[in-house]
Amino acid sequence: MGSRVMVFTSGPATLGPGVIVGSDLGNAIRNHRDIINGHASHYKKSSTFYKQLSDRLFEASIVLDLFACSLDQVGVAELKVPIEKSGGFVMLGDSFESIQFRKCLRHIFNHDEDGSLKMYFDATIEIVTTKDVKVCGALGPCVSLQKKSNSVSDKDIGEGGTSTWKLSTLTKKTCIAFFFQVGGDEQKVQPGSAFFVQFITRYRHGNMEIRRRVTTAARRWVGSHSPEINAGFDQEAAASVMARLAVHRSDGSHAHDVIRWIDKTLIRFASKFADYVQEDPSTFRLSSNFSLYPQFMYYLRRSQFIDVFNSSPDETAFFRLMLNREGVVGSLIMIQPTLFQYSFDGPPVPVVLDVRSISPDVILLFDSYFYVVIHYGSKIAQWRKLGYERDPNYENFRKLLEAPEADAEQLVAERIPVPKLVKCDQHSSQARFLLAKLNPSLTQKSMHVDDKDVIFTDDVSLQVFIEHLQELAVQR
């Protein structure tokens, strides 16, 4: 039938087979270094217990939701598998009295026009393909049913080895990445002929009806060097899928190995699809359909999904869990956040995600999906502290202050879980939420920076990253 188990907790388990940390206050809860070095005494045992619990939830079509309101970790890293595989909801907050908690809880119990809960349980997705296409697997809130068919590839990616997957729950925003490969002889495929991929989705509606939806996609085969391949490439979707693959690898690999894999994959990609003269980086060119992809990979390498520095294991588990269920638009915001500039010169305009975009006389609105930051330039902050917006003679300044706040409130209102809203001034401590995500084109090693903001880091800038990519791609 399907149901939900909702866990409300303000601390980690200290007893039983799923213990996260001992009850002795002298024992600190594990961090990433403890897990990597094997010093987290309870981590492996409790993770194994929760994985076994995941199988029981899966068999009964039960969804596990976790609402954690605490100033410290509660064990999301150990609970990640049953939550993710059951399609459960996670909220990390500071207090159960917060608006964030109330909004998230209310969202789960939304009703449709007929008064039925918007909860869809016990779902399955079956894929049927033509003989030359095989399905390798799926990444997302689903579990393989291990049902073999002629459509199944021998190569497994994520939840593989099947043509049918089970989802304990579905929502309108559920997003799963499926992976395919050419299963037949490419030489026998006739360019121009069609192939088909059919998705058969079955689920139990909130009014207890069993519903089935069949979606069939038809595509044409083209030659291996056809220009249609370039024209049909979706770099946004590709970046979203690569992020899921990188996160999947991160669960069993060190961050440096994952970054190395991303780099090698990007070099092969650039070498295959770019136009260039061998051994001449200055001739390297990518068409408009590919030009943003290297930039996406640069920000993915620096993202909280790969680089876990300054994140707790619980936060990392939450970030990765959200990425694995979000669609292309949301995933891209997580990978490469958006940045808008507000000034007296006109309406808000998008600006590059670069430290050079910071200026004393502008306001920046930064959206990284999990955080929404309103950053006031030093002059704007000084005028605000003097209360100029309350003077009728400075009506334009009042409107300038109101515009990013209204846009930020709209972003926060539309997103579940509710992102954290941060308001900060240039050079303040809270500005770190913005600086940590900007391209470090100006660092402590830069020359002639004048009064510009700099980022203290050893990371290479986007420009240097692209230059290195060009040099390596033209050598292949």
Side-chain angles (χ1 to χ4, degrees):
M1 294 291 290
S3 58
R4 309 186 84 97
V5 171
M6 307 181 77
V7 178
F8 301 86
T9 181
S10 57
T14 57
L15 295 172
V19 59
I20 307 300
V21 65
S23 56
D24 186 353
L25 296 179
N27 298 326
I29 196 167
R30 78 283 178 275
N31 55 37
H32 280 294
R33 184 176 295 276
D34 293 332
I35 295 173
I36 293 172
N37 296 335
H39 296 156
S41 56
H42 303 291
Y43 181 76
K44 288 186 178 180
K45 183 179 178 181
S46 57
S47 295
T48 301
F49 168 75
Y50 289 120
K51 286 179 182 177
Q52 294 171 350
L53 180 63
S54 175
D55 297 334
R56 295 174 60 188
L57 293 171
F58 163 73
E59 293 172 0
S61 296
I62 296 175
V63 182
L64 177 61
D65 299 317
L66 178 64
F67 295 85
C69 289
S70 172
L71 299 178
D72 203 349
Q73 301 181 74
V74 298
V76 180
E78 288 82 354
L79 281 160
K80 178 176 179 287
V81 172
I83 294 172
E84 182 168 32
K85 289 194 173 183
S86 69
F89 186 88
V90 177
M91 191 214 80
L92 299 182
D94 297 333
S95 170
F96 285 114
E97 296 181 355
S98 65
I99 297 177
Q100 176 189 13
F101 166 70
R102 296 174 186 174
K103 184 176 179 180
C104 293
L105 190 61
R106 192 181 299 116
H107 171 77
I108 290 181
F109 290 97
N110 278 343
H111 290 74
D112 60 19
E113 298 172 352
D114 299 325
S116 301
L117 288 170
K118 290 185 179 179
M119 294 185 186
Y120 313 120
F121 293 111
D122 199 20
T124 59
I125 297 179
E126 180 182 358
I127 292 182
V128 181
T129 66
T130 46
K131 64 178 182 179
D132 294 316
V133 179
K134 305 291 184 182
V135 60
C136 301
L139 287 176
C142 61
V143 178
S144 169
L145 287 177
Q146 297 298 322
K147 288 189 177 181
K148 299 287 186 178
S149 72
N150 294 331
S151 300
V152 179
S153 169
D154 294 331
K155 181 181 179 180
D156 288 352
I157 298 178
E159 293 289 326
T162 185
S163 60
T164 307
W165 294 262
K166 180 175 178 178
L167 298 83
S168 296
T169 186
L170 271 178
T171 70
K172 291 183 177 180
K173 292 188 175 182
T174 299
C175 184
I176 298 174
F178 293 101
F179 298 86
F180 300 89
Q181 72 171 164
V182 177
D185 188 350
E186 292 185 65
Q187 302 299 324
K188 296 180 180 179
V189 174
Q190 295 296 323
S193 61
F195 68 90
F196 301 89
V197 178
Q198 187 174 75
F199 300 87
I200 304 172
T201 306
R202 174 190 174 278
Y203 63 94
R204 186 182 299 276
H205 192 267
N207 60 10
M208 305 308 292
E209 291 179 351
I210 300 296
R211 298 188 179 183
R212 177 173 295 176
R213 175 177 294 177
V214 180
T215 305
T216 305
R219 295 293 185 269
R220 290 185 301 106
W221 291 109
V222 296
S224 57
H225 299 289
S226 171
E228 292 186 55
I229 295 177
N230 295 9
F233 183 72
D234 187 333
Q235 53 192 338
E236 288 84 5
S240 177
V241 171
M242 275 295 292
R244 291 199 187 198
L245 286 170
V247 165
H248 180 63
R249 283 177 170 264
S250 297
D251 290 337
S253 304
H254 196 275
H256 293 301
D257 297 327
V258 178
I259 291 175
R260 195 175 295 113
W261 172 78
I262 294 174
D263 290 344
K264 288 181 178 179
T265 305
L266 179 59
I267 293 169
R268 288 198 300 268
F269 169 87
S271 179
K272 182 179 179 69
F273 292 107
D275 297 320
Y276 56 86
V277 175
Q278 197 82 13
E279 304 292 340
D280 187 359
S282 64
T283 62
F284 183 93
R285 296 291 184 275
L286 280 171
S287 65
S288 58
N289 273 23
F290 300 108
S291 59
L292 293 178
Y293 184 74
Q295 183 175 311
F296 293 146
M297 293 301 100
Y298 170 77
Y299 286 106
L300 175 61
R301 295 167 81 257
R302 302 179 72 235
S303 70
Q304 67 269 32
F305 308 111
I306 310 300
D307 184 2
V308 299
F309 177 76
N310 206 32
S311 294
S312 68
D314 278 14
E315 289 173 325
T316 298
F318 171 70
F319 294 146
R320 291 175 176 175
L321 189 147
M322 291 301 300
L323 176 71
N324 274 337
R325 65 178 58 183
E326 188 60 44
V328 172
V329 176
S331 298
L332 277 183
I333 295 175
M334 295 179 190
I335 298 168
Q336 180 177 323
T338 60
L339 190 64
F340 280 83
Q341 175 184 288
Y342 296 74
S343 69
F344 292 110
D345 297 332
V349 294
V351 292
V352 294
L353 195 66
D354 193 289
V355 67
R356 295 179 187 270
S357 297
I358 297 177
S359 179
D361 56 354
V362 303
I363 303 175
L364 297 176
L365 178 60
F366 170 82
D367 179 17
S368 67
Y369 193 91
F370 303 107
Y371 298 95
V372 175
V373 180
I374 302 176
H375 181 275
Y376 300 96
S378 56
K379 287 185 179 179
I380 300 289
Q382 184 179 8
W383 296 338
R384 189 196 67 233
K385 291 175 182 176
L386 293 173
Y388 284 2
E389 73 278 9
R390 296 191 294 271
D391 189 333
N393 296 323
Y394 295 95
E395 182 73 11
N396 287 343
F397 181 61
R398 182 182 64 81
K399 291 181 179 179
L400 178 64
L401 292 179
E402 290 176 349
E405 292 193 5
D407 292 343
E409 288 177 4
Q410 185 176 356
L411 287 173
V412 170
E414 294 174 349
R415 196 167 295 159
I416 300 292
V418 181
K420 182 177 180 180
L421 179 60
V422 178
K423 297 180 182 180
C424 62
D425 298 337
Q426 187 178 0
H427 308 307
S428 69
S429 62
Q430 292 287 79
R432 68 184 186 277
F433 287 99
L434 173 64
L435 293 175
K437 297 296 182 180
L438 297 180
N439 171 37
S441 59
L442 294 176
T443 69
Q444 72 276 12
K445 301 177 183 178
S446 302
M447 301 292 290
H448 310 298
V449 295
D450 298 326
D451 294 330
K452 293 284 187 179
D453 278 33
V454 299
I455 296 178
F456 292 88
T457 181
D458 291 327
D459 288 350
V460 297
S461 66
L462 175 61
Q463 181 181 359
V464 173
F465 177 79
I466 296 298
E467 289 173 356
H468 288 173
L469 171 63
Q470 292 172 351
E471 292 173 1
L472 294 170
V474 299
Q475 295 174 9
R476 295 180 65 85

